[in-house]
Amino acid sequence: MNVISTNIGQSVSRIDGFAKVTGQAKYAAEPHPPGLLYGVIVNSPIARGQIAALRDTEARKIPGVVEIMTHRNRPHTALFEKSYVDGLGVPGSPYRPLHDAEIRFNGQPVAIVFAETFEAAREAAMLVEVDYERWPHNADFEAALHQKYMPSKTRSNYVPPKSRGNAPEAYALSPVKVEGRYHLAPEHHNPMEMHATTVIVEDDGTFTVWDKTQGPQSVQAYLTSALSLSGDKVRVHNPYVGGAFGSGLRAQYNVFLAALGAKMLKRSVRVTLTRPQMFTHVFRPEAVMDIALGASPDGTLQSMIVEGVTDTSRFEHNMENIVVWGLINYKCPNATAGYTIAPRDTYTSSDMRAPGATTGVNFFEMAIDEIAYACNMDPLTFRLNNYSDTDAMHDMPLTSKALREAMVQGAQHFGWHDRPMAPGSIRDGNELIGWGMATGIWDAMFSPTSARARLTADGRLHIATAASDIGTGTYTILAQTASEAFSTPIDRIDIELGDSTLPECPTEGGSWTAASAGAAVWLACQILREKLFKALAKGKNIPAWVKQGLEQDNLTLEDGILHGMNENQKIVLSFQDALSLIGQDALEVEETAKPGLRGTISQMRKARFTHSAVFCEVRVDQELGIVRITRLVNAVAAGRIMNPKTAASQVRGAMVMAAGMALHEESLMDERVGRFMNHNFAEYHIPAHADIPDMDVLFVEEKDSEISPLGVKGVGEIGMCGTAAAIANAIFHATGHRHRNLPISPGS
Amino acid sequence: MNDVSADIPCRLQINGKTYAADLPPSVTLLDLLRERLDLTGTKKGCDRGQCGACTVLVAGKRVKSCLVLAVSIPDAEVTTIEGLSPNGQLHPMQQAFIEADAFQCGYCTPGQIMSAVALLAEGHTHSREEIREFMSGNLCRCGAYNGIVDAIEQVVAQQNRNHTGEAA
Ligand code: FES
Ligand code: FES
């Protein structure tokens, strides 16, 4: 048992570790209410058209089948389209599952079978027969590029690029130039846990919904609005989430259909997607980016021109910030960028880990490597040469930017200074060895968040907020925060997350949870401490030494005990005794942390980013073209690090995903049917153990009191930004070939 | 004609307890554990043998339970993650996973741990490379791979110490 309180910044092991290594942690598909029905979804094999006929007679003959729900027999749902817009919805017409006969994308649910057993539902789902009237569709990205457009209403987080100087003219005049078209294949999030929902219909008719989501309050609001349920009828739980990486930002069709089934049948329902069905909803958009860079021979950037397109569906306008990153991060007198989206007949693409920056930063950093080489300059030196201390696009000061330190420390750790400049110059037998580097940048966001702190008669401190821990370590860092703020040992603290009824917290994503929920917990604990002290000051029957301690301001809270002096003797009071002295069973506060707290400033006055410098070594088999990553070093400047152990895991995890992006991951569209065809782990390869070397993560010291109340920036996304470029640049250094398409195919 | 979907008797030893029931032949060992026995520690990540989340031990060997029909292994001894620490005392591998931060979301974790326990018995733990090779059937989308290798090495080192200790 711990007796000392833990501090922010310590490498504490995850407090949810025991539950996870013993299999006790319950995920969305795992509660088992009595009378549970299993729902299996039937998906459309066509991309556009309508259902002409639907026969379920054979399917209904399977013993155990209870109902087959389609657009014809489904219960009433909300009338207006706007009721189906979820918390993180994008402009356009949201997809409404089983709304009518129209098919808008391949994989769209057309029916759901509910049965007493999973096996019966699965068998019956195969027997549902559907005839379709096919309409022409386009699922080809190249063809969609001809229809690219800028929507009249943009996504709320869209950052319009801002030009400076005269980029085309400066480019024309630049003595050194590089230009190229970069392409990113669509990628699917593929968390190991497939999206799933269990709806428990309680005796009073209310729904307890276990959903795989990053935002229980967002799903709660979506279900009540889309299904026309009253708000107090639905409660959403997600205490454990088996990864999400953005796939749980928007409510997916499984939760809608499960809740609709429960509404229709008044029975508890479980719907789990299959791995192939995981390829029928959100994905990282396919992208092209044209980058032209001009420089003077001394390695000074003169012009940057970036033009990018990402895909969206025909019914919603999904947008990403892909073109702005280089303009923000590099000093260069002339720069311009443009962005549009290209529609095709698929489901709407969506945010995947470090959306926008993953695409845009990596491509830009590949182009920077190319122009450094065109100037015959070491790529690290080139970056230091063109370093910007401000947000160069908005001409705004930054709260902090320790990127220079990250570059220097990362380079030193990696041994970069030994690198010969010429590509193809390091060999080991059949293998060419290459070293590459890149930098990363990501938003450091802080959103208003609420938390509750409650001290109970057993001396325990209970913290609650509707945040989600999707593997990010949120339980642990919030416990550390409370431990420090309330000076209480961590094993006397309970953290409750993942429940829509808890104090308000924005959907988990974009690396803002650590800064935001952390600040809310910190604030709640401070206020709770004040409340405790005030109650003691006002109370009757309070020992004189306590009163005196309060008056003289020498009553302290240390390691879960109140300390004071009584006639030169140290004396202590436990929380239990303190509560009984003030005659309370519990003491509770709920607080909201907002910008402004503790000297933090608003997004309008200073720009705010996390930075990193990534270094990579690859070995490329000369004959087979097979690429192996043998070393990866990431130096991260992310303000204060709450828990170096879990933070390093976050960064490493993103680097693994980035390795997939650089070398393996690619969802292949069969344009004829409009479907991603490699919809399983054998054909969509995510990095496995053998693909991943030991990776070193360094945290560079960065004090930033303006960014968030705890000086925290968040580390969930930064590992994606720059890593794929470092790998691509290393491959160039090994082979002398520039690859501008990700993933890079060996030998191509 | 035989009814191919008629229930078939199934008898298994699961975590030391006898399980016996008549089951449809299409029930996989994984679905039996998760949906009928509430042993949800064993996870489903693909249902077709491609991810390792469903790894359990059958007669001490690691097996992907999504690829096994429950009725096809009569009287087999099955160990799941719940059976690894029957009296609440963590198995050294579970402890090492916590210390090495060998997981994030925890969803692949029971499968990784069962696989790692079998790997120790198989003896393919001579180097980090060998561990990586023989753990490659267990995917982790959170990318906790470095930590998993650390955890396995930690347990191997403990075992070696214990053996040397016994010999001395
Ligand atoms: S669920 Fe069995 S291997 Fe993936
Ligand atoms: S810990 Fe999340 S998939 Fe491995």
Side-chain angles (χ1 to χ4, degrees):
Chain A
M1 170 124 176
N2 282 330
V3 287
I4 338 183
S5 51
T6 307
N7 288 327
I8 299 172
Q10 273 176 262
S11 276
V12 179
S13 291
R14 282 169 207 266
I15 62 167
D16 49 342
F18 184 88
K20 284 177 176 174
V21 301
T22 53
Q24 288 171 16
K26 285 258 181 221
Y27 297 81
E30 298 177 351
H32 206 116
L36 179 69
L37 290 177
Y38 292 83
V40 171
I41 295 166
V42 181
N43 304 78
S44 159
I46 71 160
R48 220 176 134 248
Q50 65 178 350
I51 298 168
L54 201 148
R55 291 173 298 277
D56 59 12
T57 333
E58 290 306 308
R60 284 184 187 270
K61 286 184 189 155
I62 299 296
V65 169
V66 172
E67 186 55 89
I68 297 174
M69 185 169 75
T70 67
H71 66 282
R72 293 200 211 126
N73 64 350
R74 65 163 170 83
H76 167 78
T77 61
L79 238 34
F80 299 109
E81 197 178 67
K82 68 174 189 323
S83 307
Y84 297 77
V85 178
D86 58 294
L88 280 105
V90 298
S93 311
Y95 163 58
R96 290 170 283 173
L98 299 188
H99 185 72
D100 54 24
E102 188 178 334
I103 303 297
R104 300 202 271 184
F105 61 95
N106 194 310
Q108 177 179 322
V110 293
I112 178 166
V113 177
F114 293 106
E116 303 286 350
T117 66
F118 169 61
E119 290 76 19
R122 182 177 56 185
E123 191 178 349
M126 290 188 277
L127 298 175
V128 175
E129 294 173 69
V130 188
D131 298 336
Y132 296 92
E133 182 186 311
R134 287 163 200 262
W135 301 342
H137 72 265
N138 174 51
D140 177 23
F141 183 57
E142 286 295 322
L145 288 177
H146 297 300
Q147 296 182 344
K148 65 187 186 191
Y149 67 101
M150 177 51 103
S152 52
K153 185 169 188 278
T154 56
R155 256 188 95 168
S156 56
N157 61 351
Y158 177 64
V159 178
K162 215 175 138 209
S163 299
R164 55 188 188 258
N166 186 336
E169 198 179 284
Y171 182 70
L173 295 173
S174 291
V176 187
K177 297 188 195 44
V178 297
E179 65 174 290
R181 168 164 279 208
Y182 296 78
H183 174 257
L184 177 69
E187 298 169 355
H188 280 79
H189 305 65
N190 275 313
M192 289 310 297
E193 178 198 25
M194 299 173 291
H195 275 258
T197 308
T198 305
V199 178
I200 302 170
V201 179
E202 309 285 359
D203 293 340
D204 61 1
T206 60
F207 288 2
T208 303
V209 179
W210 287 62
D211 187 40
K212 177 190 180 71
T213 174
Q214 293 167 241
Q217 290 174 327
S218 171
V219 168
Q220 198 272 350
Y222 168 75
L223 288 180
T224 51
S225 133
L227 297 181
S228 307
L229 299 167
S230 69
D232 55 1
K233 222 187 153 203
V234 183
R235 174 174 184 172
V236 177
H237 281 280
N238 64 334
Y240 295 101
V241 182
F245 317 109
S247 66
L249 288 169
R250 301 190 61 184
Q252 301 302 357
Y253 62 70
N254 50 288
V255 69
F256 181 93
L257 293 176
L260 193 60
K263 182 176 171 175
M264 181 178 195
L265 304 169
K266 305 197 169 41
R267 285 182 63 176
S268 298
V269 162
R270 159 132 71 241
V271 178
T272 306
L273 298 190
T274 62
R275 186 54 63 183
Q277 284 171 336
M278 290 293 288
F279 288 76
T280 63
H281 58 63
V282 288
F283 56 95
R284 190 195 296 285
E286 186 161 358
V288 286
M289 218 160 108
D290 293 307
I291 306 175
L293 299 177
S296 38
D298 66 351
T300 308
L301 275 171
Q302 298 298 348
S303 178
M304 314 192 281
I305 304 172
V306 186
E307 197 62 50
V309 190
T310 56
D311 75 10
T312 188
S313 65
R314 198 76 72 173
F315 48 93
E316 283 177 316
H317 314 291
N318 183 40
M319 304 177 77
E320 287 194 335
N321 295 315
I322 68 169
V323 295
V324 292
W325 301 99
L327 276 65
I328 290 170
N329 208 17
Y330 285 92
K331 191 167 69 184
C332 175
N334 305 288
T336 189
Y339 173 74
T340 45
I341 54 179
R344 56 176 170 177
D345 295 294
T346 58
Y347 192 63
T348 312
S349 60
S350 188
D351 293 343
M352 178 165 158
R353 205 168 196 173
T358 291
T359 307
V361 171
N362 283 302
F363 286 154
F364 197 84
E365 288 293 303
M366 289 158 72
I368 287 285
D369 198 72
E370 201 168 332
I371 191 136
Y373 267 86
C375 295
N376 197 19
M377 183 179 269
D378 171 73
L380 175 64
T381 315
F382 184 91
R383 287 178 170 88
L384 290 167
N385 252 2
N386 294 284
Y387 193 86
S388 174
D389 287 301
T390 59
D391 169 346
M393 187 172 86
H394 298 106
D395 194 17
M396 236 208 242
L398 296 160
T399 60
S400 61
K401 178 176 181 176
L403 175 58
R404 190 179 278 118
E405 293 76 2
M407 283 198 264
V408 170
Q409 291 174 30
Q412 192 165 11
H413 188 88
F414 186 85
W416 182 261
H417 53 271
D418 292 334
R419 176 183 185 267
M421 176 86 181
S425 51
I426 326 175
R427 258 160 217 278
D428 179 13
N430 241 1
E431 287 183 317
L432 296 166
I433 299 175
W435 290 3
M437 62 96 42
T439 63
I441 173 171
W442 176 250
D443 298 311
M445 294 176 270
F446 172 60
S447 328
T449 300
S450 306
R452 183 163 66 221
R454 181 182 166 87
L455 188 63
T456 49
D458 54 2
R460 294 189 71 81
L461 177 63
H462 306 265
I463 301 293
T465 173
S468 311
D469 187 332
I470 61 172
T472 38
T474 312
Y475 280 106
T476 311
I477 57 167
L478 295 186
Q480 284 174 268
T481 305
S483 181
E484 177 171 317
F486 208 73
S487 306
T488 294
I490 205 162
D491 52 12
R492 271 197 256 154
I493 296 174
D494 300 308
I495 306 288
E496 202 185 341
L497 308 176
D499 178 343
S500 59
T501 60
L502 299 179
E504 211 168 316
C505 180
T507 297
E508 199 288 336
S511 293
W512 59 64
T513 302
S516 312
V521 169
W522 178 86
L523 180 65
C525 289
Q526 292 299 325
I527 304 292
L528 182 66
R529 179 195 286 245
E530 280 171 27
K531 189 169 177 178
L532 175 65
F533 281 20
K534 269 191 205 139
L536 286 169
K538 271 202 275 167
K540 308 188 180 82
N541 312 324
I542 306 291
W545 68 268
V546 172
K547 292 255 182 199
Q548 208 176 356
L550 287 164
E551 277 155 25
Q552 293 168 4
D553 204 19
N554 61 7
L555 187 74
T556 59
L557 210 175
E558 268 169 58
D559 302 330
I561 299 167
L562 293 159
H563 293 252
M565 298 297 278
N566 193 8
E567 296 176 356
N568 296 332
Q569 293 267 319
K570 281 195 181 158
I571 185 159
V572 297
L573 184 70
S574 69
F575 288 160
Q576 289 94 319
D577 292 341
L579 283 182
S580 81
L581 281 174
I582 59 175
Q584 301 271 2
D585 293 338
L587 216 53
E588 180 180 304
V589 299
E590 187 174 323
E591 293 296 327
T592 303
K594 298 191 190 92
L597 181 64
R598 262 192 147 188
T600 53
I601 58 165
S602 88
Q603 219 122 332
M604 311 308 286
R605 284 173 39 211
K606 282 192 180 179
R608 29 200 307 133
F609 299 101
T610 307
H611 299 91
S612 68
V614 194
F615 297 82
C616 172
E617 177 187 88
V618 296
R619 285 172 171 252
V620 184
D621 185 295
Q622 234 180 321
E623 271 131 46
L624 303 173
I626 293 172
V627 180
R628 280 195 301 134
I629 301 168
T630 44
R631 276 198 303 143
L632 271 173
V633 172
N634 201 342
V636 176
R640 185 172 180 199
I641 301 302
M642 300 184 86
N643 181 332
K645 188 171 178 168
T646 57
S649 291
Q650 283 270 91
V651 177
R652 283 196 194 96
M655 288 161 83
V656 170
M657 199 174 272
M661 171 189 182
L663 299 178
H664 315 296
E665 292 183 37
E666 178 172 25
S667 299
L668 296 162
M669 172 63 72
D670 181 338
E671 287 93 13
R672 293 164 306 174
V673 293
R675 188 183 325 153
F676 291 113
M677 295 307 286
N678 53 336
H679 43 39
N680 62 75
F681 282 137
E683 292 163 278
Y684 182 99
H685 180 75
I686 66 168
H689 272 281
D691 295 311
I692 299 302
D694 289 331
M695 299 172 285
D696 291 343
V697 176
L698 324 177
F699 291 112
V700 174
E701 185 169 323
E702 191 178 63
K703 290 214 164 65
D704 189 336
S705 58
E706 294 173 325
I707 194 87
S708 66
L710 300 176
V712 168
K713 287 184 171 178
V715 291
E717 337 281 316
I718 190 68
M720 289 300 298
C721 308
T723 304
I727 296 167
N729 296 341
I731 293 173
F732 166 75
H733 186 236
T735 64
H737 288 293
R738 285 280 172 207
H739 296 268
R740 296 202 186 93
N741 296 339
L742 298 182
I744 295 170
S745 326
S748 73
Chain B
M1 204 177 86
N2 283 340
D3 180 356
V4 289
S5 60
D7 288 0
I8 294 179
C10 171
R11 206 185 134 89
L12 294 165
Q13 297 294 324
I14 299 173
N15 298 331
K17 284 198 209 111
T18 303
Y19 165 80
D22 289 348
L23 281 185
S26 59
V27 177
T28 63
L29 176 57
L30 174 59
D31 289 328
L32 168 66
L33 294 170
R34 284 176 65 81
E35 305 300 344
R36 293 171 193 248
L37 301 179
D38 207 20
L39 291 171
T40 52
T42 307
K43 305 301 182 194
K44 185 187 278 192
C46 70
D47 216 10
R48 53 168 82 180
Q50 298 171 344
C51 78
C54 64
T55 307
V56 298
L57 305 184
V58 175
K61 299 233 157 54
R62 47 179 165 168
V63 158
K64 289 175 172 168
S65 61
C66 69
L67 294 184
V68 177
L69 296 175
V71 298
S72 70
I73 45 166
D75 293 313
E77 232 177 78
V78 178
T79 311
T80 71
I81 191 77
E82 291 90 349
L84 207 56
S85 46
N87 31 32
Q89 178 79 22
L90 290 184
H91 184 282
M93 192 62 77
Q94 292 171 310
Q95 187 62 43
F97 262 62
I98 295 178
E99 282 162 22
D101 209 35
F103 53 88
Q104 293 181 39
C105 76
Y107 198 78
C108 73
T109 310
Q112 302 276 1
I113 291 174
M114 298 315 284
S115 215
V117 167
L119 178 77
L120 289 190
E122 292 161 20
H124 293 298
T125 54
H126 297 100
S127 66
R128 292 178 77 83
E129 268 52 57
E130 195 183 17
I131 293 171
R132 287 189 176 115
E133 196 59 39
F134 282 85
M135 285 298 289
S136 281
N138 288 84
L139 299 177
C140 173
R141 186 54 156 169
C142 295
Y145 293 132
N146 283 185
I148 296 169
V149 178
D150 292 343
I152 295 172
E153 277 200 322
Q154 187 181 318
V155 178
V156 171
Q158 269 167 24
Q159 283 190 341
N160 289 346
R161 270 200 305 278
N162 292 347
H163 284 158
T164 354
E166 276 161 28

